[in-house]
Amino acid sequence: MSKWTRRGLLTAATATGVVALIGAGSPPRRPKPLDIVTGEDGFTAPATAAAGAVTFRVRTTSTRTGIVGIARLRRGVGEAAFRRHLRDVFEKESSEEVIQASRDLMADAELFGGAMAVRGSQSSFTVWLPPGRYLVLEYKDFEGPYIGRDPLPGAEYVSPLLVHAADDGGAGRPRPSATVTAVDTERGPRFVLEGRMHRDRPLRYVNAMRGQVDELAVYPLTDDSVTEADIQAYFQDRRTRPEPFDLAAQLGTPPLSPGRSAVVGMPLARGRYALTSWVAAMKDGQHLSAHGQVLIVTVP
């Protein structure tokens, strides 16, 4: 997301029980992925889904769309308030206003992440959804005239999703090759990588930050000389420093609430990638990557 200022033994016994339920030697049925297509000519999203591990495939037909996410409003919160506070996150200018807007948004809804897609390719994401009512939304619609379609308030792409109970929820979850976890450290927010990212395998992203929504914005690096320090410096001063990557090539997942995780499938090629976050830090309103939440990885 380009401007968030603008989330032993017992285990073995449980696994044995699951095998007994589904039948030894019988692989679990993988639910069919649900398609989301976003573009300046319209927004198509599923109206229903079965509870459990739900996989969505995301395509965009425009550079002004392509950041799709899932949110669930908290009890008593109306959709209009959620839309207004999400706009405030991007539109407010002062640190104090951005922090307040972020607090309002976290109070409004639980954010389940999603996928960032680029035109001409397909991204995907898998999230665990309990039964209930959700919203599927295009984040770029809330980012203003220089990023998205700039619709009038209330006309943003937001579609209801009803998740109903299912007997086989969770079957067929994709197996990621690596996990990236957003964590707090004494030096500030950081990304921790376990495993190795691969072109043909999805990536699991976990927001383990305390009281802080967070995203994973992934960019290919075409300049081999770019370092993590260079990228952090860019986030600290974007007015005078050149972009270290192509902002239009953004992949990853929009924000997740604290404690949430998502499995993201991205159209990756061989090479170096920067893992970053445009989300505002709750302590000062600055981008989390300006505080050092930057990680460069190599995809073989």
Side-chain angles (χ1 to χ4, degrees), residues 195-249:
R196 190 167 188 177
M197 292 175 59
H198 287 275
R199 290 175 295 151
D200 56 351
R201 294 281 297 280
L203 173 73
R204 183 170 182 250
Y205 174 61
V206 180
N207 178 13
M209 302 279 283
R210 297 186 297 273
Q212 171 75 62
V213 299
D214 204 359
E215 69 177 3
L216 181 66
V218 180
Y219 299 94
L221 294 175
T222 57
D223 184 347
D224 290 341
S225 68
V226 172
T227 66
E228 292 175 358
D230 293 333
I231 297 172
Q232 181 178 356
Y234 164 73
F235 276 91
Q236 292 171 337
D237 185 10
R238 295 171 51 228
R239 293 183 178 180
T240 63
R241 292 183 177 273
E243 297 171 356
F245 39 66
D246 182 1
L247 294 175

Side-chain angles (χ1 to χ4, degrees), residues 56-137:
F56 300 87
R57 296 182 299 202
V58 180
R59 291 190 300 109
T60 180
T61 61
S62 170
T63 59
R64 301 180 74 84
T65 57
I67 302 182
V68 172
I70 304 289
R72 186 178 188 181
L73 300 182
R74 303 191 192 280
R75 186 185 301 274
V77 176
E79 186 177 317
F82 170 75
R83 289 178 186 251
R84 182 174 67 253
H85 292 147
L86 183 53
R87 274 186 175 264
D88 287 346
V89 166
F90 295 103
E91 294 178 352
K92 298 300 183 181
E93 296 295 335
S94 72
S95 297
E96 293 78 9
E97 289 177 318
V98 170
I99 292 171
Q100 185 58 54
S102 298
R103 287 173 176 162
D104 291 339
L105 188 65
M106 285 195 292
D108 286 345
E110 189 83 4
L111 305 180
F112 288 76
M116 301 173 182
V118 295
R119 188 170 57 179
S121 64
Q122 179 175 273
S123 297
S124 68
F125 67 102
T126 302
V127 288
W128 184 272
L129 299 179
R133 296 183 180 275
Y134 297 80
L135 299 176
V136 184
L137 64 142

